């Protein structure tokens, strides 16, 4: 039965189910996140010493990445992780004025290459900040898309 509830959550089904304690959340998963009375301690021996974990949320436009990231951020914070959200640079440059749809192939590849380098640098900077600022807690980088997503557009 749990697999059916996981399927209703879409592609994140099993991963989201694990965050809710091994079972899928009820229909409230689309609204308010259910709260648990027992808090899991992320410093348990199974996780080892505090470190930076990375989770990349990927998908096409309007796939629910932002919604999933907000729910994951809330749940991971409730679980005791320090959470850092890494923005997607392509969107930042487009809202800042770049118009990749009007570029010829060479300019588009150059733009994507620059985005790839900058995205990797940004993720590394966030990882460094997380490792220095999280103290004795495990931290999580939630990345809006990953560096490999560029291959989907440049090929």
């Amino acid at each position: 039965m749990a697999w059916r509830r996981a399927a209703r959550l879409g592609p994140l089904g099993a991963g989201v189910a694990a965050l809710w304690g091994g079972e899928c959340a009820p229909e409230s998963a689309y609204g308010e996140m259910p709260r648990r009375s027992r808090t899991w301690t992320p410093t348990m021996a199974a996780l080892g010493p505090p470190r930076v974990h990375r989770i990349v949320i990927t998908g096409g436009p309007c796939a629910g990445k932002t919604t999933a990231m907000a729910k994951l951020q809330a749940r991971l914070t409730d679980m005791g992780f320090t959470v850092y959200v890494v923005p997607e640079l392509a969107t930042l440059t487009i809202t800042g004025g770049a118009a990749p749809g009007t570029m010829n192939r060479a300019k588009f590849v150059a733009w994507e290459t620059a985005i790839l380098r900058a995205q990797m640098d940004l993720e590394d900077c966030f990882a460094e900040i997380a490792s220095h600022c999280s103290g004795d807690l495990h931290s999580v980088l939630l990345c809006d898309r990953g560096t490999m997503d560029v291959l989907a557009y440049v090929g």
Side-chain angles (χ1 to χ4, degrees):
M1 233 9 148
W3 68 270
R4 287 186 183 161
R5 288 190 304 253
R8 282 199 309 262
L9 290 175
L12 288 177
V16 172
L19 290 174
W20 270 295
E23 60 186 51
C24 232
E27 275 65 31
S28 65
Y30 294 101
E32 183 60 30
M33 190 81 108
R35 300 287 180 217
R36 293 211 177 280
S37 59
R38 186 174 150 240
T39 303
W40 177 71
T41 307
T43 56
M44 63 177 29
L47 289 177
R51 64 187 177 101
V52 179
H53 306 269
R54 293 181 190 218
I55 299 174
V56 177
I57 305 296
T58 189
C62 300
K65 295 180 300 292
T66 304
T67 303
M69 286 181 65
K71 290 182 184 249
L72 281 171
Q73 181 179 17
R75 180 66 175 141
L76 289 168
T77 300
D78 286 349
M79 292 169 67
F81 288 93
T82 304
V83 181
Y84 299 88
V85 179
V86 182
E88 179 197 15
L89 274 176
T91 300
L92 290 176
T93 61
I94 291 169
T95 58
T102 63
M103 298 176 187
N104 64 31
R105 175 89 175 146
K107 288 183 180 182
F108 181 75
V109 169
W111 177 74
E112 282 288 358
T113 303
I115 292 295
L116 178 61
R117 278 196 314 269
Q119 186 72 46
M120 290 178 4
D121 288 343
L122 185 63
E123 289 175 17
D124 290 343
C125 287
F126 268 80
E128 186 176 344
I129 291 166
S131 67
H132 292 302
C133 297
S134 296
D136 292 335
L137 296 175
H138 283 264
S139 57
V140 174
L141 293 184
L142 280 180
C143 302
D144 187 351
R145 295 192 183 247
T147 53
M148 294 304 292
D149 284 4
V150 171
L151 291 177
Y153 299 100
V154 174

